[in-house]
Every structure is written in C-alpha cells, then in structure tokens.
Amino acid sequence: MKNKIILFASALIVSLLFTSAKMAKDEYKVIKVIGKIVYKTSGNPMGTGDVFSTDTPIKFVTENARAAVISNLKGRFVLAPPSATKKTNLVPAVNSISSRSGAIVNELDFKRHFEGDYLILNSVKIPVSPQNFPQNDKNFFFVSYEYEGEKIMKRLPVGEGNVVLNQDDVFVVDGKKIQPFTTKMVLYYRDSNQKENKSLASFRAVFPNLDLLRKEVAVILDEYKDATPEMQYEQVKGYLNEFYGKPFEPNLKAWMEKN
C-alpha cells in the first residue's frame, strides 16, 4: 500500500512539473510581419498565424524588420531585433488612441481628425456640419493624390452631412478602376462663394489589403476568444493604430460587424 502511494505521488509530481514547464513556455502567435524574419533552424520565413516560443532561434533579415505578436496570457507585443541585454526583444504594444467624436464644424477640426496616418477600411463617412459645409452641385469636397507621376483630383459624392471617402470612388483614373494604395492625400472644400478652394487637411491615407487584414484580425480574436467584445475591439483597434493608421471608430466597428 505504501509503495502504491509513493508511486502515485511520484507520478503526480512528474505530471505537475510537466504541466508547469509547458505553462512556463513563453509562446506567442504572429499577427503580422514587417520586413523579413526567418527561423534559423528551418530557414522558413515568419508569417501570420505562426506560433513560436522565446527560445526559438530567429534572424532579422531586413533592416527595421519587426512583427506584431500576441499571447492570450500576456497581451500584444512588437517583436523587435535583439538588444544587447535581450535575446528576444518583445516591446509592449501601444494602447488604443481615442478617435474624435461628433460632427466636424471647422477647418481645425478637419486637421485634427485626419492628422497622421489615417486608416480607411473600404469606405468611411465622417460627420460634418451641413451649415458650415453645405454640399450640392456648387459646394462639395474633393481630394487630390499622385498616381504614376500625375496629380489626380477626385470629387467626392454628396454626403448629406458627411464627408464620404470610398476607395471605389477615389481610385478611378481615366474612367478605369485602379488598385487602392496608401498615399498622401489632400482634402479640399469647394465653396461657390469663394474664389479659391479651401485646403482642409493633408494626411497619409492608408487603404490596406482587406483579405490580409481579416487574417491578422482573426489571430487577435482567436487569442481573445474568451474576452468581452469590448476587450476584443480595443485589442484590434490598438493593433491597427500601431501597424496601419488611426481608424475612425464607426468605420472600424461597422467593418468588424460585417466581417
């Protein structure tokens, strides 16, 4: 009887040690890779959906290469090149940044809303004051950007109290659709009572590959499948803000609900 108890206790200890070792293994799932990072043992490139541990030998091939990674126990991190003190350099991810809410009423509001990298998920509607910025055949918004060395001017559709930026409207040149791409864009307003058009905001418009983006967001949601919808949303929003650009909250929420 005594021997059975000893054997049982020994087996239990081994099981606990194995479980603890497994739990202690620091594993992360890859959301997105910027540049090229490879696994030294296999030579394979790191990609979305990969799972690796902090003791996995990796090599940063291209300059400024980095990766967005996630752990359901520890949260989101940026995998950066190793430092003098760290073999695996995991930098805590940037938290979400709040978007401005309410209708835009003046030029300063436009500059604040669009400052920096601005993420557009297919189409975005930004509320504007119809009193300050009426929209009709003579008063309207338009944007400019460069394509193959040529300045493209695109009038935006009448938004009935909204500025509507839709990639299907913007990326049409000589009557033909072109592939949406990230570009510096200037937003103007044509006021029929003024001689010159108003330049309202200059920003970097980010139009991502939505098929790739769905896969990246799926990684985050899978790691946070037991979290509240609010926590899931904040994790996705924070990731997009850090690796793509600032999303407009109604645009992001609508895109997530649809996809």
Side-chain angles (χ1 to χ4, degrees):
M1 183 66 178
K2 185 177 180 181
N3 288 338
K4 287 184 178 179
I5 293 173
I6 292 172
L7 286 172
F8 176 76
S10 299
L12 182 61
I13 291 170
V14 170
S15 177
L16 289 172
L17 288 173
F18 177 79
T19 303
S20 298
K22 188 176 180 181
M23 289 179 65
K25 195 173 183 181
D26 215 1
E27 289 189 336
Y28 295 85
K29 187 176 284 188
V30 179
I31 305 172
K32 179 184 181 69
V33 179
I34 302 293
K36 187 176 182 180
I37 305 172
V38 301
Y39 301 104
K40 288 184 178 180
T41 304
S42 65
N44 294 330
M46 178 180 285
T48 299
D50 288 359
V51 177
F52 71 98
S53 63
T54 52
D55 57 5
T56 301
I58 56 177
K59 179 182 179 182
F60 290 77
V61 178
T62 55
E63 188 178 1
N64 298 324
R66 59 191 175 120
V69 302
I70 193 168
S71 161
N72 58 1
L73 296 176
K74 296 186 176 181
R76 285 187 306 108
F77 290 83
V78 176
L79 178 65
S83 63
T85 57
K86 294 181 179 179
K87 181 180 177 182
T88 303
N89 192 10
L90 290 165
V91 182
V94 175
N95 293 325
S96 312
I97 296 177
S98 297
S99 302
R100 288 178 59 84
S101 59
I104 292 176
V105 298
N106 55 43
E107 294 178 41
L108 182 58
D109 281 349
F110 273 107
K111 286 182 170 57
R112 287 174 175 171
H113 181 88
F114 285 102
E115 65 184 349
D117 293 351
Y118 191 82
L119 178 63
I120 300 173
L121 300 170
N122 188 44
S123 179
V124 63
K125 291 183 178 181
I126 303 118
V128 297
S129 167
Q131 290 77 31
N132 295 354
F133 297 95
Q135 296 183 64
N136 48 51
D137 289 341
K138 295 182 178 180
N139 303 278
F140 51 84
F141 293 96
F142 65 97
V143 294
S144 71
Y145 62 92
E146 284 196 5
Y147 176 69
E148 295 185 347
E150 181 183 353
K151 187 175 183 180
I152 306 298
M153 311 286 281
K154 277 293 164 184
R155 177 173 172 172
L156 302 181
V158 173
E160 298 180 357
N162 295 288
V163 174
V164 181
L165 278 166
N166 188 313
Q167 64 183 30
D168 293 334
D169 295 326
V170 171
F171 293 106
V172 178
V173 178
D174 296 330
K176 296 180 180 179
K177 287 187 177 182
I178 62 173
Q179 185 67 32
F181 62 98
T182 296
T183 180
K184 182 180 178 182
M185 198 169 280
V186 181
L187 175 68
Y188 297 91
Y189 179 67
R190 170 59 182 166
D191 186 340
S192 59
N193 295 318
Q194 303 292 328
K195 290 183 178 181
E196 295 184 359
N197 299 318
K198 292 181 182 178
S199 173
L200 299 173
S202 177
F203 59 101
R204 187 169 177 262
V206 180
F207 292 86
N209 182 315
L210 295 178
D211 291 331
L212 292 178
L213 189 63
R214 288 187 192 96
K215 294 177 182 178
E216 295 162 11
V217 171
V219 171
I220 299 174
L221 296 180
D222 183 59
E223 289 297 296
Y224 279 84
K225 57 180 175 289
D226 296 325
T228 64
E230 291 77 14
M231 175 62 76
Q232 292 175 341
Y233 172 78
E234 286 301 319
Q235 287 295 326
V236 171
K237 180 183 172 185
Y239 163 69
L240 294 179
N241 188 78
E242 187 168 15
F243 274 79
Y244 285 94
K246 179 179 64 176
F248 183 46
E249 291 200 19
N251 184 215
L252 174 55
K253 288 178 178 178
W255 183 81
M256 286 183 67
E257 288 175 4
K258 182 179 179 180
N259 291 276

